[in-house]
Amino acid sequence: MTTGTPPPTARGRSRARTLVPLAVAAWAVLEIWLLILVADAAGGLTVVILLAAGIVLGAAVIKSAGRRAFRNLTETLQRMPGRPGAEGSSQAAPESGRGNGFLMLGGLLIMIPGLLSDVAGLLLLVPPVRTALSRYAERSLDRRMRKAAPGGFSDAFQQARIHRPDGKVVQGEVIRDEPSGPDAGPNDEPRPPLTR
């Protein structure tokens, strides 16, 4: 018996689901190989000191970035209209708040044992690199949002971003403009308001 709907087709694995695990495995093998090379050249104690210093530095960077993000959040919330001491016009987010996510990612990469991840994390600590990556990520996200099909999750996100509701409730009454005459039925009479 056929229902008229085509049978479901099995989707193949996407390229990302195939390549990402391979890239992570290659990264791990390369990190271990570089650590072995450094241990042969400088000694095992040097590698242990480098790894411990990376953990301490990464933790300090993440803590600093978290504090900065929290400070920017409280400043933004204090500038909201309707709050005591808030200015009449809403200002843009401070430039110092840009790139906090990349700063935290840099700290996390420094904490991960390995020399390549340390180099990548240290690059993310450089402000021009963070700013360039932040702008690239913003443009890329904006491009993907525009490309998405209407009616999807991204469309709802776009509408929520554009139409920022302020939560005000407008009270009103709905009035139907229907003709009342001899052909009006018993259900067309005006009804009393609902009360409890």
Side-chain angles (χ1 to χ4, degrees):
M1 178 174 163
T2 60
T3 59
T5 58
T9 58
R11 290 182 54 189
R13 264 179 93 108
S14 68
R15 250 188 322 179
R17 288 184 66 185
T18 304
L19 293 179
V20 168
L22 292 175
V24 169
W27 179 285
V29 168
L30 188 59
E31 290 280 19
I32 292 170
W33 180 70
L34 284 174
L35 286 174
I36 292 171
L37 284 180
V38 170
D40 283 344
L45 184 62
T46 305
V47 171
V48 170
I49 291 172
L50 279 174
L51 294 177
I55 290 172
V56 170
L57 178 64
V61 167
I62 289 175
K63 185 177 181 180
S64 169
R67 283 184 178 166
R68 196 169 91 172
F70 186 73
R71 185 177 58 243
N72 289 338
L73 176 66
T74 55
E75 288 174 3
T76 302
L77 289 175
Q78 288 174 352
R79 280 197 313 263
M80 287 179 63
R83 304 279 294 176
E87 298 174 6
S89 62
S90 62
Q91 299 173 349
E95 284 295 315
S96 64
R98 291 186 70 122
N100 273 339
F102 286 113
L103 192 61
M104 287 183 185
L105 178 64
L108 181 66
L109 286 173
I110 292 172
M111 284 181 74
I112 294 174
L115 299 177
L116 289 178
S117 61
D118 288 348
V119 170
L122 289 172
L123 277 176
L124 286 175
L125 296 184
V126 178
V129 173
R130 266 197 330 264
T131 304
L133 281 174
S134 178
R135 287 183 183 150
Y136 172 76
E138 195 173 316
R139 282 194 310 265
S140 175
L141 180 65
D142 192 38
R143 210 174 315 124
R144 285 179 184 230
M145 294 291 284
R146 288 184 184 161
K147 244 193 247 184
F153 177 71
S154 61
D155 190 34
F157 177 72
Q158 187 77 5
Q159 288 177 359
R161 194 175 69 159
I162 292 173
H163 306 290
R164 298 182 187 130
D166 55 359
K168 292 182 180 174
V169 176
V170 178
Q171 300 211 358
E173 182 179 330
V174 176
I175 300 174
R176 287 192 222 169
D177 191 18
E178 295 178 358
S180 61
D183 58 334
N187 291 337
D188 294 338
E189 298 174 356
R191 296 182 185 151
L194 296 174
T195 57
R196 278 200 164 196

